Amino acid sequence: MSLLSIEFLETIFTEQKESSLFGKWIRFEDIRNLFEKYQSLFEVTQIGTSEQERPIYQLKIGSGEKKILLWSQMHGNESTGTRALFDLFNCFINIKSNNLQSILRECTLVFIPMLNPDGAEVYTRVNGNNIDLNRDAVDRKAKESKLLRTILEGFNPEFCFNLHDQRTIFNVENTNNPATISFLAPSEEETRMLTKGRIATMNVIVAMNTMLQNIIPNCVGRYTDEFYPTATGDNFQKLGYNTILIESGHFPNDYVREESRKYTFFSILQGLYYIAKTSEFKTYKTYFNIPNNDKVFYDVIHRYPNSENDVAYQYQNEIKDNKLIAKLVKVDEKLKKTNIGHHEIVFEKDFF
């Protein structure tokens, strides 16, 4: 199995991390001026506009026969993948290593680093017309959904990378570890049949997970492969475009997702490298050894002597005075004995 070394990944990430992008709220204005520096090596093209007429850009690089399409911020408030992509762009323009050059020789890469700039502007999941793009693959009511399908069919990729963020509630099944990265090979229909395309997708995920287990062991989960009839990944997989879902999750004390950003970068680069170096994508069975995601976490739990009085809180993000702030909101549900807080405050007596 063709794996990149952790030392190599750590070094290039540290050297090439895009320092102008930080934090969870990434808008189009934050990336607008970055495109110019990539024009020397990438084909940088405005491919369309959002519902509210914000530009949507594509970057293309490489000359190989293996075509790969990657997009991020389909949900406007999920920016970890966007930051990781710009870190990757810096690597391609600044580093001439054999590892990176082999990707560009064997593959042609197309990136859409911000598919939903309207949602990104106001830090919402949905687009400017209140449409969830990840549930619009069939109806394609949104301009952004139509645009993505046009690019998909015109480029005809062998693999797609669909980059998302997942909530802090997820843990790796049967552990107390947060699911820092989760993967999914989407199903094509309700029976979740193992088609050739799903097997190829699982094979690439196996390589990414093998690499991650060397640096964040037992912190990688597998997202549910329940078939969602209107979801993007499920429909692209059904159409014959092998689609890899990467969900960037929580890392301890990393609410701005900078550690998650690093492991997302590692995962993307490992996936691209593996595709570049591999001719047959058939080994898949260890995909099912990746534990499922479970939901045991809350952001904060107040613990009392009488556990019946324990209270959980979740952070809720909102824009206020042009800043992204997080406030704790009480969860209106009874805690289970298995629930854990990313932070727990223990009181010596009950105040009830």
Side-chain angles (χ1 to χ4, degrees), residues 203-234:
N203 179 244
V204 178
I205 290 173
V206 166
M208 294 189 290
N209 177 63
T210 301
M211 176 276 298
L212 286 176
Q213 293 300 330
N214 292 323
I215 187 168
I216 49 170
N218 303 313
C219 292
V220 180
R222 181 160 51 93
Y223 215 76
T224 176
D225 64 352
E226 176 185 355
F227 178 65
Y228 290 94
T230 62
T232 300
D234 304 58

Side-chain angles (χ1 to χ4, degrees), residues 240-277:
Y241 306 103
N242 305 325
T243 302
I244 298 159
L245 180 73
I246 301 179
E247 294 271 358
S248 306
H250 186 66
F251 187 84
N253 300 313
D254 180 38
Y255 277 92
V256 291
R257 302 232 162 153
E258 288 297 296
E259 286 295 309
S260 300
R261 168 187 186 168
K262 178 170 73 171
Y263 301 126
T264 302
F265 168 85
F266 286 7
S267 300
I268 296 168
L269 187 51
Q270 174 61 66
L272 297 179
Y273 180 74
Y274 181 78
I275 293 169
K277 302 291 283 187

Side-chain angles (χ1 to χ4, degrees), residues 70-112:
L70 306 91
W71 66 91
S72 183
Q73 249 170 310
M74 169 174 269
H75 293 143
N77 58 354
E78 299 178 4
S79 70
T80 306
T82 303
R83 287 174 278 152
L85 288 182
F86 280 91
D87 302 333
L88 181 62
F89 299 159
N90 286 346
C91 292
F92 282 130
I93 65 172
N94 294 324
I95 297 176
K96 304 304 179 185
S97 79
N98 290 333
N99 292 332
L100 294 174
Q101 293 304 309
S102 68
I103 294 173
L104 299 183
R105 283 194 306 270
E106 298 294 331
C107 304
T108 299
L109 311 176
V110 167
F111 303 89
I112 305 174

Side-chain angles (χ1 to χ4, degrees), residues 134-135 160-162 164 166 181-188 192 197-198 201-202 204-206 208 220-228 231-234 237 242-247 287-288 290 292-293:
N134 202 32
R135 296 293 183 269
C160 299
F161 284 65
N162 185 6
H164 287 268
Q166 66 181 6
I181 296 290
S182 294
F183 295 118
L184 173 65
S187 298
E188 299 178 20
R192 313 180 195 188
R198 284 200 78 201
T201 304
M202 291 174 183
V204 178
I205 290 173
V206 166
M208 294 189 290
V220 180
R222 181 160 51 93
Y223 215 76
T224 176
D225 64 352
E226 176 185 355
F227 178 65
Y228 290 94
T232 300
D234 304 58
Q237 192 84 42
N242 305 325
T243 302
I244 298 159
L245 180 73
I246 301 179
E247 294 271 358
Y287 170 83
F288 294 103
I290 303 172
N292 290 318
N293 277 356

Side-chain angles (χ1 to χ4, degrees), residues 141-154:
K141 294 179 180 178
K143 286 178 65 175
E144 299 90 344
S145 302
K146 294 183 177 74
L147 178 61
L148 180 61
R149 181 63 68 89
T150 298
I151 296 299
L152 177 82
E153 293 176 347

Side-chain angles (χ1 to χ4, degrees), residues 17-29:
K17 180 178 179 181
E18 179 50 58
S19 59
S20 69
L21 299 179
F22 179 85
K24 295 169 70 174
W25 190 21
I26 302 297
R27 297 173 283 182
F28 178 74
E29 289 304 314

Side-chain angles (χ1 to χ4, degrees), residues 236-340:
F236 284 13
Q237 192 84 42
K238 185 177 180 179
L239 290 168
Y241 306 103
N242 305 325
T243 302
I244 298 159
L245 180 73
I246 301 179
E247 294 271 358
S248 306
H250 186 66
F251 187 84
N253 300 313
D254 180 38
Y255 277 92
V256 291
R257 302 232 162 153
E258 288 297 296
E259 286 295 309
S260 300
R261 168 187 186 168
K262 178 170 73 171
Y263 301 126
T264 302
F265 168 85
F266 286 7
S267 300
I268 296 168
L269 187 51
Q270 174 61 66
L272 297 179
Y273 180 74
Y274 181 78
I275 293 169
K277 302 291 283 187
T278 303
S279 56
E280 293 187 328
F281 301 91
K282 295 182 177 180
T283 306
Y284 71 94
K285 290 185 179 180
T286 54
Y287 170 83
F288 294 103
N289 293 340
I290 303 172
N292 290 318
N293 277 356
D294 199 359
K295 302 176 183 178
V296 303
F297 278 110
Y298 292 104
D299 289 323
V300 176
I301 294 179
H302 288 181
R303 299 285 189 192
Y304 295 94
N306 181 356
S307 62
E308 295 293 318
N309 294 329
D310 290 350
V311 181
Y313 298 84
Q314 286 293 104
Y315 283 113
Q316 186 177 92
N317 293 302
E318 62 181 44
I319 307 300
K320 189 173 183 179
D321 298 328
N322 205 35
K323 292 182 180 179
L324 180 66
I325 64 169
K327 63 180 182 180
L328 277 177
V329 177
K330 183 178 177 181
V331 176
D332 188 22
E333 57 188 41
K334 187 175 178 60
L335 272 65
K336 300 176 183 177
K337 291 183 178 180
T338 54
N339 287 134
I340 307 167

